[in-house]
Each structure stands twice: as C-alpha cells, then as structure tokens.
Amino acid sequence: DATPTEFVTEIVDIMEEFSYRRDSVDWTQLRAGVLSRAEGATTYEQTHPALQFALEQLGDNHSWVQQPDGAFLTYARTVTCSAPAAPDLSQIPSDVGYLRVNAYSGSVGTSGSYTSGLQSAMQQRDNAGVVGWIIDLRGNGGGNMWPMLAALWPFLQGRAGFFVSSDSVFSEWRLVGARVYDNGVLRAEAVGPYLPRGVDGRIAVLIDNRVASSGEATAIAFKSRDNARFFGSRTCGLTTAIASGPVSGGYRLGLAVAGLAATDSSTFVGGITPEETITETSTLLTRAVAWVRTGQQQ
C-alpha cells in the first residue's frame, strides 16, 4: 500500500493534472502546504487535514474526497446552499402546465422510474388549454444530470449546453427526441416519453439557492430556449462537472474538471442569476403564471 505521504501526493498529482482550476492554483504552495500537514502521519486518517487543505486551496467548492466508510471529508467552502422552500401548487391555473423536477442521484441504468415519473407528471398537468409551462427546479441539489435532461426532452430539443474544459474545449449536450447525448455519446433516454401541449409556449424556470451542481446544469439547458425566463433567487454556484474515481486506501476523489456553459458559450461561475429575483413563494408563482400567460416583464 502507498504510504500516507505517497497517498496525499497521489491526490495532489491528480488535482494538478485534471482540475478545472489548475491554471488558477499555485501548485508549489499547495503541495508544500499539503506535505507539511501530512508530515509524521502514519495512517491515512491522519492525512485528512492535509486533504481538507488541498480541497480548500482548489477553490472550486465542489471537489470532494470520500472515505472508505462512505463519509465525505468536510472543508471550508465559500458558497452556501440554503434549504429549499416547499412548493405551493394552489396558485397554478389549469392553462399553465407545471412540472416539479427533483434531483436524481442514481445511475442511468436505474433511472427508468424517475424519467417515467416525470413523463406521467407532465401528462397529468396537460390539457387542451395549456399555453406554456412552469419548470420548478427549486431544491434540486443535483446528482446525475442525464436522466434529468432526458426527462425534460419536450422542452430541450437540439443543443442544450456544454461542458468546457480549462483549456476551452467544448463538449456538447444535445437532445434528439427523448435521448440525450454528451459529445455524441448516448447518456440517457426517457422511459415512456410523453409530449404535452404548450411546450412551444413560454417557459418559466423557478430556481433558488438550493439548486446546485447537476441541478444547475439542468437549469442552464433552459438558456437554450428563447422563450424561457428565470424567476426566484441565485443558485448555489457549484457550476462545474465532477469526474470521480478510486485512489489508494479505498478512498475516492471527486474532482471538478469542467465548467458548464449555455448554448451561447456563456459560463456561470458563482451560480445562475434569475431575470426576476423573487424570494416570497406566492409572489414568485403569481409572477411566473403571469409571464407564461402574457409574456409581460417587470
């Protein structure tokens, strides 16, 4: 097995090679700080302060180290994701479709019930009078973005966004029917696809500070819609893509390796700011309904 010093060096080497923020980090200083904090460690557990320091110095607020028992190392972050507000559907009239999109953290292979559930929810809200939709992402803390995008296929056809590497290489997200592709590779497909009415109408996207990570990627995909408008509060700000894998000692490293970009190539460092900032729930829904119906902006 690797020694504790070799263990932390392994992790720093991976960070330096693949981190999305690798060009913004003083690696000489980071490496020295990690090694000084790991000095004298005789177990992997004793290196945890060194690893926490490394994660803090990366500054992406999103990378992580998972211990063999499944627990994640905590570290100081400069973003805070607040608790979500409970949805109140009583103010949504029948001529406005409504879809609550909760987080999904499982694998693509087990996402059938998730995507079919959202298709059923669309069908329940659908009727001949629907003029547009409210897509409620509030509280969506992320997980696996591909089933989320696949489930939203009626609203997101064609190019939906990009991953962008630290050296500005773009990898496209694209929806073709109920299938979503990452740079041409099929990632997920909605089970029981349903095409509701009103999907070409206005789309009000509800966001809050609890929307994070893949939840933010899902929100960014709606930037591809000319007739979508965002309401609520700024998202959490974990707008990077994570790649993860095993390292020594049964640990796992999750590393922010790419940013998230809309179809106009704009990125969202620090989160997504809505066009209309509204924190009170009843006012938020009233405004979203009014905009879907009339397109009138404040």
Side-chain angles (χ1 to χ4, degrees), residues 36-296:
S36 68
R37 286 164 174 81
E39 186 176 0
T42 58
T43 65
Y44 288 178
E45 289 78 7
Q46 291 173 355
T47 69
H48 289 181
L51 298 179
Q52 291 164 321
F53 172 80
L55 291 167
E56 291 168 4
Q57 294 304 301
L58 278 184
D60 60 42
N61 294 297
H62 203 184
S63 297
W64 47 261
V65 172
Q66 187 179 25
Q67 301 172 65
D69 64 1
F72 291 86
L73 295 187
T74 59
Y75 64 96
R77 306 179 193 232
T78 58
V79 299
T80 302
C81 303
S82 62
D88 174 11
L89 310 185
S90 62
Q91 299 180 60
I92 302 175
S94 61
D95 63 337
V96 175
Y98 174 87
L99 186 64
R100 175 83 168 183
V101 183
N102 292 317
Y104 175 75
S105 297
S107 69
V108 169
T110 59
S111 65
S113 61
Y114 175 84
T115 60
S116 63
L118 283 176
Q119 307 309 292
S120 297
M122 287 183 216
Q123 189 170 7
Q124 291 170 10
R125 290 292 306 189
D126 189 21
N127 65 74
V130 170
V131 297
W133 284 77
I134 294 173
I135 305 297
D136 191 351
L137 293 172
R138 291 176 298 165
N140 188 320
N144 190 333
M145 66 185 278
W146 304 119
M148 295 185 213
L149 293 181
L152 291 164
W153 72 273
F155 307 96
L156 299 173
Q157 287 300 294
R159 178 179 290 168
F162 300 98
F163 296 125
V164 55
S165 70
S166 59
D167 51 358
S168 299
V169 175
F170 285 75
S171 177
E172 180 192 68
W173 322 332
R174 177 173 290 272
L175 283 101
V176 180
R179 296 180 174 182
V180 59
Y181 295 85
D182 169 23
N183 212 29
V185 177
L186 177 64
R187 293 300 189 187
E189 181 174 4
V191 172
Y194 178 78
L195 181 61
R197 285 159 283 200
V199 295
D200 293 327
R202 299 182 191 92
I203 308 298
V205 182
L206 308 186
I207 56 177
D208 64 9
N209 185 244
R210 187 63 183 85
V211 178
S213 189
S214 290
E216 289 172 295
T218 303
I220 287 169
F222 281 91
K223 294 288 184 179
S224 66
R225 290 284 306 250
D226 291 336
N227 56 350
R229 188 169 177 82
F230 287 65
F231 301 81
S233 54
R234 187 175 178 85
T235 61
C236 184
L238 303 183
T239 48
T240 46
I242 295 289
S244 65
V247 290
S248 295
Y251 284 71
R252 290 184 66 85
L253 173 64
L255 192 62
V257 296
L260 309 177
T263 52
D264 64 357
S265 299
S266 58
T267 56
F268 297 87
V269 176
I272 304 160
T273 302
E275 284 87 359
E276 296 192 26
T277 298
I278 306 170
T279 56
E280 203 279 317
T281 299
S282 61
T283 304
L284 173 66
L285 292 174
T286 298
R287 273 296 304 140
V289 167
W291 185 79
V292 169
R293 281 174 157 175
T294 69
Q296 184 177 359

